[in-house]
Amino acid sequence: MHLKRYEFKYFVSETVYKKLVQSMAPYIEPDGFAAKCPNYRYIVHSLYFDSPSKIYYDEKLDGKKKRHKIRVRCYTENFFDAEAYYWEIKRKDQSMISKSRIEISREELDYMLRNNFLTCPAHFLNGNRMKRRIAEELLYYSNRHSLMPAVFVLYEREAYMIPMDDTIRITFDRNVRGNSYLSSGITQQINWSPAFDRSVIFEIKIRGLLPFWLHKLIREHGLFNESISKYCGGLDSAVAYFA
């Protein structure tokens, strides 16, 4: 999968969250996955990779305009309980976000973790052209920067879409937590710590123009787009836990 879009992120309180959902109700509906979940919320669980010197972390803090990050994502509370995972690269170029991903099995995940993601199963590089190009890019950065697992980030996501319009996605993320990969006990994940001291992250992911009603809501609640990194927040919290 390959996707390009703009993203806008805002910290909001639970009170503002409730007002936003109420005001947006005539325009939105839960996305297909969230609609099957209690309160339209599901788990997002990511394992982020970085170099030994934490190059991706530093690029984010320094505000580098063109950067990327690499992660493996699943949708279970315990990372190692999932049946399917997604090996992803997320790129940022000014305000444009693009993301590519490859689905991998638990067995393939185990294989790549044993090899520190410096190699992948041979069939990733054969056959499907798009899958091969994504795998080659992921392997290039993994080897170039000697990437290794850095931190787990876990949170609850409430996701909405606009009917008959697949260019806009709205999410609310809460209870964002971090857990160091090396101290997590691996298959028994413990030592979670809060990544942020504020309640809810409101995100708008859009491939076109912002509708007037959504722009009006942002203005009415005095929201300002913020540079929010769950990876950096998760890593900071995990390091602080053992400081």
Side-chain angles (χ1 to χ4, degrees):
M1 185 188 77
H2 186 73
L3 178 67
K4 288 186 177 182
R5 65 192 180 196
Y6 296 96
E7 292 184 353
F8 303 95
K9 302 180 181 182
Y10 313 88
F11 275 119
V12 299
S13 66
E14 285 287 347
T15 299
V16 171
Y17 149 75
K18 291 176 182 176
K19 291 179 179 178
L20 286 169
V21 172
Q22 184 178 32
S23 298
M24 291 190 293
Y27 306 100
I28 63 174
E29 64 181 25
D31 76 6
F33 189 66
K36 304 173 185 176
C37 304
N39 300 315
Y40 309 139
R41 297 176 189 174
Y42 56 88
I43 293 294
V44 179
H45 200 156
S46 299
L47 174 59
Y48 285 89
F49 292 74
D50 210 332
S51 70
S53 63
K54 299 296 183 289
I55 184 174
Y56 296 160
Y57 178 90
D58 289 340
E59 286 179 350
K60 170 63 179 177
L61 293 189
D62 292 343
K64 186 175 179 180
K65 300 299 183 183
K66 189 173 183 178
R67 59 183 187 271
H68 64 269
K69 55 190 172 186
I70 292 175
R71 66 194 179 202
V72 173
R73 173 162 288 185
C74 67
Y75 299 92
T76 55
E77 187 160 1
N78 187 313
F79 188 82
F80 296 95
D81 285 345
E83 296 181 358
Y85 300 83
Y86 299 91
W87 189 19
E88 302 181 338
I89 180 166
K90 186 174 182 181
R91 313 170 198 82
K92 182 178 175 65
D93 189 351
Q94 301 291 335
S95 298
M96 174 64 73
I97 302 293
S98 65
K99 183 171 72 173
S100 303
R101 57 160 45 173
I102 297 173
E103 183 173 349
I104 61 178
S105 67
R106 173 60 193 273
E107 291 74 22
E108 291 165 341
L109 173 72
D110 290 343
Y111 170 85
M112 288 191 283
L113 282 173
R114 288 195 302 270
N115 291 280
N116 215 24
F117 273 74
L118 299 178
T119 186
C120 69
H123 65 85
F124 282 23
L125 303 175
N126 300 315
N128 183 284
R129 181 180 178 186
M130 178 61 73
K131 185 174 183 178
R132 182 176 70 250
R133 289 181 62 183
I134 296 170
E136 288 173 345
E137 182 179 17
L138 286 161
L139 288 176
Y140 168 77
Y141 286 116
S142 293
N143 285 272
R144 178 183 178 185
H145 295 141
S146 300
L147 298 184
M148 59 182 65
V151 67
F152 292 103
V153 175
L154 177 70
Y155 55 92
E156 301 167 27
R157 167 157 287 178
E158 183 177 341
Y160 296 93
M161 57 180 288
I162 297 177
M164 307 302 291
D165 184 354
D166 65 355
T167 65
I168 301 177
R169 178 172 162 83
I170 293 168
T171 61
F172 296 94
D173 297 334
R174 50 170 54 75
N175 196 19
V176 183
R177 290 156 279 170
N179 189 346
S180 170
Y181 178 79
L182 295 178
S183 62
S184 66
I186 308 303
T187 57
Q188 295 183 357
Q189 294 182 294
I190 55 177
N191 302 326
W192 290 103
S193 51
F196 304 108
D197 59 3
R198 287 186 276 181
S199 299
V200 183
I201 301 173
F202 168 40
E203 292 190 29
I204 301 170
K205 309 164 197 295
I206 187 167
R207 301 201 308 271
L209 297 176
L210 198 67
F212 175 76
W213 60 267
L214 193 50
H215 177 77
K216 182 180 178 183
L217 276 178
I218 294 168
R219 186 180 58 199
E220 286 178 352
H221 290 283
L223 304 182
F224 295 92
N225 185 32
E226 300 188 53
S227 181
I228 303 170
S229 170
K230 298 185 185 74
Y231 166 57
C232 291
L235 187 61
D236 286 342
S237 68
V239 171
Y241 185 94
F242 292 94

